[in-house]
Amino acid sequence: MRYITFALAKGRLAEKSMEMFEEIGISCEEMKDKSSRKLIFTNEELGYRFFLAKASDVPTYVEYGAADIGIVGKDTILEEGRRLYEVLDLGIGKCRMCVCGPVSAGELLRHHELIRVATKYPDIAKDYFYNKKHQTVEIIKLNGSIELAPIVGLSEVIVDIVETGSTLRENGLTILEEVCPLSARMVVNQVSMKRENERIARIIQDLRRVVLRRQEGQQQQ
Ligand code: PRP
């Protein structure tokens, strides 16, 4: 039997998605050893392989078929723009992509001023400002701690992920506009989807049930 290979965005998302996989009988004992420096883990019996990768590399592994299936945030999928099938919203890692800044920057946005936008997601920011808002802006790519940019005067606003909102609050910034909602998605290589259709379709179907069950559980709470 050919292995089905999963690429998981390392960190909290990988742990949460493995919990979901366990619910549908896809487990990997090897992965639970936190002290291990191994990069790839196998479940010989079921014919599955798992590896952890930097989130922004997951769509690349999947597009090239080095992984059949990937679990990664919608932010990364949008930013990378790879050719792959997005097949399921896992309903975990929920957050929002937003335009944020000091309250005073709201006025600049409203008047379509030529402002500077700092972000780790230049393609998402470009698409939002140029294609959706038809506003010309200067986009500055940063790699982390994006909230610093408007505080130290690098940019007027930022485009960044907001989860609880505490980073913004603690730094005197606020949400000015919402770009899109985000969550973890399952993506599939286009050739694998045909070649391994039966096994992959089964995984999607089983996971969809877990997602629905969890949603129902949340609604009842
Ligand atoms: C993300 C994001 C925000 C923060 C939002 O950063 O870029 O800074 O989390 O979360 P909150 O709304 O719950 O405060 P991350 O911690 O991934 O690190 P980074 O800033 O280096 O990208």
Side-chain angles (χ1 to χ4, degrees):
M1 183 168 50
R2 183 184 168 275
Y3 282 115
I4 295 278
T5 303
F6 294 81
L8 310 176
K10 64 180 163 195
R12 221 152 27 116
L13 205 55
E15 280 170 33
K16 282 188 178 175
S17 30
M18 282 313 289
E19 284 168 21
M20 293 185 87
F21 284 131
E22 288 213 350
E23 287 188 44
I24 62 165
I26 299 179
S27 59
C28 188
E29 287 308 309
E30 266 194 326
M31 264 180 109
K32 293 180 183 164
D33 178 5
K34 297 265 183 286
S35 62
S36 171
R37 300 290 294 164
K38 265 186 90 163
L39 293 172
I40 189 145
F41 308 92
T42 49
N43 181 327
E44 298 288 348
E45 200 188 323
L46 299 174
Y48 294 125
R49 272 200 315 186
F50 301 86
F51 66 84
L52 301 173
K54 195 175 155 77
S56 52
D57 293 336
V58 168
T60 312
Y61 284 109
V62 175
E63 181 183 272
Y64 284 91
D68 302 291
I69 292 173
I71 305 292
V72 68
K74 179 70 178 174
D75 50 322
T76 309
I77 298 172
L78 289 171
E79 186 61 26
E80 293 298 310
R82 295 278 174 184
R83 273 170 305 175
L84 29 80
Y85 295 132
E86 184 186 319
V87 295
L88 187 63
D89 182 343
L90 296 178
I92 53 176
K94 283 189 184 169
C95 49
R96 293 178 290 166
M97 185 66 75
C98 297
V99 180
C100 311
V103 176
S104 58
E107 202 62 16
L108 304 174
L109 283 170
R110 269 190 294 281
H111 293 119
H112 281 220
E113 301 271 347
L114 177 57
I115 51 171
R116 285 190 291 194
V117 180
T119 185
K120 203 156 76 170
Y121 303 91
D123 280 2
I124 294 177
K126 244 180 255 167
D127 181 59
Y128 179 71
F129 280 103
Y130 294 175
N131 302 333
K132 295 209 179 81
K133 293 200 68 192
H134 306 290
Q135 177 171 1
T136 308
V137 294
E138 184 182 345
I139 291 172
I140 302 172
K141 165 88 167 54
L142 287 180
N143 297 297
S145 304
I146 317 298
E147 290 84 356
L148 261 177
I151 300 172
V152 298
L154 176 66
S155 70
E156 282 76 24
V157 299
I158 60 173
V159 167
D160 199 20
I161 292 172
V162 179
E163 192 180 348
T164 61
S166 40
T167 313
L168 291 179
R169 265 192 307 278
E170 286 180 31
N171 291 289
L173 305 172
T174 185
I175 295 175
L176 300 167
E177 291 173 3
E178 185 171 326
V179 177
C180 61
L182 303 168
S183 57
R185 308 292 160 97
M186 176 168 161
V187 293
V188 178
N189 171 269
Q190 295 185 340
V191 176
S192 306
M193 195 66 189
K194 292 191 188 76
R195 204 169 48 189
E196 294 289 346
N197 186 267
E198 211 173 303
R199 291 169 81 195
I200 293 177
R202 177 75 194 271
I203 295 170
I204 298 170
Q205 199 181 28
D206 288 353
L207 273 180
R208 187 171 288 131
R209 273 199 213 103
V210 174
V211 174
L212 285 174
R213 213 165 44 223
R214 286 183 170 201
Q215 274 171 359
E216 281 162 13
Q218 277 164 5
Q219 275 160 12
Q220 277 162 15
Q221 274 172 16

